[in-house]
């Protein structure tokens, strides 16, 4: 019981303080499936997100009633602190819970193109999703989960041609 309370406190405090969380939906995806970095608001014991509309962040495959995995980073060092399982709840526009959640999200949304009309646009064109912790945390991996770079013909800067310094210094003397 004590471990469960400590995990719950860690999830809440780490998520409140972090400006970004990484979210991966659909539990059927294989390990290492891509997670998406999302801005959020911690409200009423859950992560609240808005997205999937014009000018808003794209949400991963989050299905109402489905599961998701949320990974929280350290605000000061940027490393993974905790990963936890969540139940996905999509809020219906106009409901009391939707209005309260949108009020919290609106206060944290930076650079909104439409200001005070933002909640109406969210109701028409976006999804507001709540990720409620299920109480289970996931052990952090020992190694990096960074993806291997995609093969490309792009290169880093090459050595300067041997004659270039003479040309540059010649122009300075004039």
């Amino acid at each position: 019981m004590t471990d469960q309370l400590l995990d719950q406190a860690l999830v809440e405090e780490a998520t409140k303080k972090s400006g970004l969380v990484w979210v991966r939906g659909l539990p059927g995806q294989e390990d290492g499936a891509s997670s998406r970095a999302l801005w959020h608001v911690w409200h009423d014991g859950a992560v609240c997100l808005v997205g999937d509309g014009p000018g808003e962040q794209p949400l991963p495959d989050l299905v109402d009633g489905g599961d998701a995995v949320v990974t929280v980073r350290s605000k000061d060092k940027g490393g993974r602190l905790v990963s936890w399982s969540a139940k996905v709840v999509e809020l219906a526009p106009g409901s009391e819970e939707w209005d309260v959640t949108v009020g919290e999200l609106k206060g944290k949304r930076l650079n909104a193109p439409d200001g005070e009309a933002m909640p109406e646009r969210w109701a028409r064109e976006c999804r507001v999703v709540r990720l409620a912790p299920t109480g289970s945390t996931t052990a952090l991996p020992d190694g990096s989960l960074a993806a291997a770079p995609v093969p490309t013909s792009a290169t880093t800067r090459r050595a300067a041609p041997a004659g270039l310094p003479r040309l540059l210094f010649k122009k300075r003397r004039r």
Side-chain angles (χ1 to χ4, degrees):
M1 185 65 171
T2 304
D3 287 343
Q4 188 177 12
L5 290 174
L6 288 173
D7 285 348
Q8 183 180 2
L10 174 63
V11 165
E12 184 171 341
E13 285 303 311
T15 309
K16 275 183 189 179
K17 292 181 179 182
S18 181
L20 283 177
V21 292
W22 277 261
V23 178
R24 181 181 43 161
L26 297 178
Q29 292 179 339
E30 68 282 351
D31 288 339
S34 63
S35 296
R36 188 172 299 267
L38 303 169
W39 71 271
H40 71 285
V41 170
W42 180 267
H43 174 66
D44 198 23
V47 164
C48 299
L49 306 166
V50 63
D52 283 348
E56 299 298 337
Q57 61 190 352
L59 299 178
D61 296 327
L62 299 175
V63 179
D64 190 24
D67 295 321
V69 176
V70 179
T71 301
V72 182
R73 69 182 179 109
S74 165
K75 188 169 183 163
D76 58 346
K77 302 287 184 188
R80 288 179 297 237
L81 273 182
V82 65
S83 289
W84 47 275
S85 299
K87 187 57 104 178
V88 179
V89 177
E90 187 166 346
L91 304 179
S95 68
E96 183 178 333
E97 190 176 17
W98 189 89
D99 290 337
V100 172
T101 302
V102 164
E104 292 291 322
L105 287 164
K106 181 181 169 191
K108 298 292 183 180
R109 173 64 164 93
L110 301 175
N111 304 324
D114 49 359
E116 293 301 315
M118 187 170 32
E120 291 83 25
R121 179 174 56 86
W122 286 352
R124 282 188 323 269
E125 303 171 353
C126 297
R127 295 172 56 206
V128 175
V129 177
R130 204 169 174 274
L131 304 178
T134 60
S136 63
T137 57
T138 308
L140 295 176
D142 291 333
S144 171
L145 294 179
V150 178
T152 178
S153 61
T155 61
T156 57
R157 192 170 144 187
R158 297 179 189 196
L164 185 60
R166 279 195 315 251
L167 292 172
L168 293 175
F169 289 126
K170 192 181 225 183
K171 287 185 179 182
R172 286 189 187 168
R173 289 182 190 156
R174 290 183 187 178

